[in-house]
Every structure is written in C-alpha cells, then in structure tokens.
Amino acid sequence: MRILLCTGKGGVGKTTLAAATGAALAARGRKTLVVSTDPAHSLGDAFARPLGAEPSEVDALLSAVQVDSRSLVDSSWQRLRGELRAVLAGAGLDALDAEELTVLPGVDELLALTEVRRLAEDGPWETVVVDCGPTAETLRLLALPEAVSGYLTRVFGPRGGVTDSVRRLGAHLDGLRALLTDPSVTTVRLVLTPERVVVAEARRTLSSLALRGIAVDGLIANRLMPAPGIWRGAAASWLRTRRTQQDAVLAELAAAGIAPVARVEHRAVEPVGLPALLEIAAELYRGEDPLAGNGVPVTPLLRVRPATGGYTLRVAVPLARDAEVDLARVDDDLAITVDGFRRLIALPEPLRPCRITGAESDADGLVVHLAGNRGRG
C-alpha cells in the first residue's frame, strides 16, 4: 500500500494534479483511489462527475471519493466525547470543566485522516492519492495524531488507568502517527506556483513536515508560462517577462538546495475530465512512475553523534536564511520552533541528562550541541 498526500497553498492547482496523478497510476495498471479531504470538494469537478462520501468508479482501475468530515463528526465523535466526559467527571472535574476539555480542536480533520486510513486498509486499492486541503489545514491535519495523543497523556496519565475507549483512541492515534511517518508507505507531494509568496510558504511547509518526521518525495511547480518559442503578437512581451520571473524564482529554489522541481505549464483551457488529466500527467511524469517522486532525499529526523564533552544532535529540517528558530528544553523533550511551527521531540535516552550549550544551522538543518552533565538548559 502507498499513500500519497498532495497539498499546497490554496489556488495552486493541487486538486488537478492529485487527480492527474491518480489517473496516471491507474493507466499504469495500479488500482487507485483518489480521496478529497479538502472542504472545498472540487475533486468531482476535476473528474467531471459527481462524487459522494463512498468511493465511486471513475475508470476501470480508478475510483474517487470526497470525505465528508462533518458527517464523520456527527457519527463517530459524539459517542467517544460522551465517554471522555464521564471519565473526566469521575476524576473529580466538574461538569463544566469536563465539557470544555472534551471539545478538541480539529476533530473533524482527525476523523478525516482516520477515514483515509480506513479506506486505504479496507479497500482493494494499491495506491491512495489524497487531495488534502490548503497547506495550513494539512499541517494541522498531520500534526493532530501526535497532539491529541499528548493531550490524552497529560489529562489521563498512563493509559493503563483509563477506560477501554480512551485506550483504544490512544492506540489508534499511535497507529495514525506510525502510518504518517513511515516513508515506505506515506509521502507528501508539495504543489506550488513559481511566485515568491507561494514559494516562501512552501519552504515553511518543508520545515514543518520535516519536524513531524513526514517525508516529502517531490515538489511540483504548476502553471508556468509556456516556453518562449511559441509566443506571438502583442502579449509576447508580457508573457516573456512573466516566464523570466518564474524561472528566477525556481532558480532561487535550486540555489537553496530545494531541487529538483517537476514542472507543468499553464494551459489555455482548464483541464477537466480524464483525457485532459492524462495529458497533464504525461507532461508531469514524462513516462516515469508517478510514485517515484522527483528525487527528494528522505533522511532521519534525528541523528546523534558523540562529541568532546557531550553530543551533537543533528535535526534534518530545511531552513531558509531568514528562518526564525527557537530551541528549549521541556523536561525530557527538545522544543523546536521554526517560523511559528513548534514540535516537542523526545530526546534519545543518552541525551536526556544533557543541557543545550549552543546550536547552528548548515545545509542539512540544525546542529544542536549538548553538554554531557546532569544540568538542564
């Protein structure tokens, strides 16, 4: 089973490219499901056919579905929330506090991710391509399993002392987290348009996904102006200037080590329906396996090496020159914040007694220096 998550800033064309990727995989003989978790639900428009909350056939080996997060909340969350409320009240919290603590932000996104897992594991598909929401919603979606698991641990302590329903939820969250962070199963394909604002967000997204331990296997630059050789008429100068600007943005990405980037040119007619989507896929993948990505390496998030007087901890997080980075110790965790995205990373056992003495960045990410004594930094 392979799960490919397609995301990007709103309006960059990720739904079209997710649909085109699914169509290309099916054309190569892989039974494929394309899933939309985007609240905008434009996947049916890309395939030019209505889609519902259950998979429907688009072509011989291709099916598609639009996940209805609100229905999932209504059908699945209310029962568990009632059980959690009862457990909290039994632990001495009054009814108001128990009610507040069981209103978990992002529950609809969490249930959408759960539905993706269910479809992947229960269905006959070899590949599941997910048309995620815009980048901010996707980052929240992918962070939820760890965040909610930590919430349960803080509220209930060790899971051995809680109800079966909470224990099952904890195990389920652990399973989701394992699914997302296994690069042999799940990878992200990041879609962008070659504009500086969009690329800046894409770079922050790469940092955030790396902090979560989620592998990015490729970047796609969508809607490039056509090659200069075909331009004629009064608009040629404008088009040439626009393409020059786009090429400069992509060159900056390459200079920053964020390469290679696959490219798709803008079309005069909106690509709708299977023939148009397969035409997009032919340009995008050029006969190669769509699951191969485009050569973005997958490296371990953390690497530890002994050093004089302690250790160095390398954190594989791509950083822009102007990235804002903050490090802190929170008990046995290292709190890393990059451009507002924060994650608590459990330190390996030998590093827990150490204190932070310094840090710097290089082409491979952060290098944190820790002194090997019992102090806390």
Side-chain angles (χ1 to χ4, degrees):
M1 168 59 63
R2 278 282 277 109
I3 299 175
L4 180 61
L5 307 175
C6 295
T7 190
K9 187 176 176 65
V12 298
K14 61 177 180 52
T15 297
T16 297
L17 295 182
T21 299
L25 287 165
R28 293 174 67 92
R30 296 182 66 96
K31 196 165 182 61
T32 301
L33 176 69
V34 183
V35 182
S36 172
T37 63
D38 188 340
H41 283 333
S42 55
L43 184 61
D45 298 329
F47 283 125
R49 65 185 62 210
L51 297 176
E54 292 297 326
S56 58
E57 187 175 279
V58 176
D59 202 17
L61 295 175
L62 180 64
S63 297
V65 60
Q66 294 185 154
V67 171
D68 186 349
S69 298
R70 296 312 310 167
S71 294
L72 293 174
V73 171
D74 293 340
S75 62
S76 302
W77 171 241
Q78 297 304 328
R79 176 184 57 81
L80 179 57
R81 182 178 169 192
E83 294 179 5
L84 288 173
R85 189 186 302 114
V87 172
L88 290 167
L93 294 172
D94 62 36
L96 178 61
D97 289 338
E99 177 71 21
E100 291 174 345
L101 284 172
T102 58
V103 182
L104 292 177
V107 164
D108 49 350
E109 288 101 335
L110 180 61
L111 292 175
L113 187 56
T114 298
E115 182 69 359
V116 169
R117 182 189 183 190
R118 183 191 71 81
L119 290 166
E121 293 180 347
D122 294 350
W125 300 284
E126 301 170 70
T127 306
V128 175
V129 179
V130 184
D131 169 33
C132 298
T135 308
E137 285 81 357
T138 300
L139 293 176
R140 184 167 64 246
L141 175 82
L142 300 181
L144 276 171
E146 184 173 34
V148 179
S149 181
Y151 169 93
L152 291 177
T153 300
R154 289 192 298 274
V155 172
F156 297 107
R159 291 179 186 150
V162 301
T163 65
D164 287 342
S165 60
V166 176
R167 194 177 299 110
R168 287 195 303 270
L169 176 59
H172 174 69
L173 293 168
D174 291 342
L176 285 177
R177 182 165 51 186
L179 182 75
L180 290 172
T181 55
D182 183 350
S184 68
V185 177
T186 302
T187 55
V188 171
R189 197 75 47 88
L190 187 58
V191 181
L192 55 91
T193 50
E195 304 164 66
R196 284 187 168 82
V197 172
V198 176
V199 167
E201 178 172 312
R203 295 178 71 164
R204 290 191 293 270
T205 301
L206 289 172
S207 298
S208 179
L209 291 170
L211 279 176
R212 301 285 165 205
I214 298 171
V216 176
D217 71 1
L219 286 80
I220 302 172
N222 193 27
R223 297 177 181 160
L224 271 76
M225 291 295 105
I230 66 172
W231 294 338
R232 299 289 185 273
S237 177
W238 184 92
L239 290 169
R240 188 175 295 107
T241 300
R242 187 77 182 98
R243 177 60 184 257
T244 299
Q245 291 176 335
Q246 291 179 330
D247 287 341
V249 170
L250 295 179
E252 290 175 10
L253 273 179
I258 305 174
V261 179
R263 303 182 179 201
V264 178
E265 290 189 349
H266 211 323
R267 281 159 169 73
V269 178
E270 183 179 6
V272 173
L274 274 180
L277 293 172
L278 287 170
E279 181 183 324
I280 291 274
E283 178 184 351
L284 176 58
Y285 298 113
R286 302 182 184 279
E288 300 295 326
D289 183 358
L291 292 180
N294 54 357
V296 176
V298 176
T299 57
L301 177 62
L302 301 179
R303 286 173 287 176
V304 179
R305 291 181 180 174
T308 303
Y311 300 90
T312 60
L313 174 67
R314 180 173 291 280
V315 186
V317 179
L319 297 172
R321 293 189 191 93
D322 58 349
E324 296 183 7
V325 182
D326 182 69
L327 299 174
R329 284 293 299 273
V330 180
D331 297 324
D332 288 332
D333 295 336
L334 177 66
I336 303 178
T337 305
V338 179
D339 290 330
F341 295 107
R342 184 174 187 262
R343 185 189 176 191
L344 293 177
I345 297 176
L347 288 170
E349 185 70 33
L351 273 58
R352 291 177 185 173
C354 300
R355 59 187 177 87
I356 298 172
T357 59
E360 69 263 0
S361 64
D362 60 19
D364 296 323
L366 285 172
V367 180
V368 183
H369 301 280
L370 300 106
N373 58 43
R374 307 290 309 178
R376 294 287 190 189

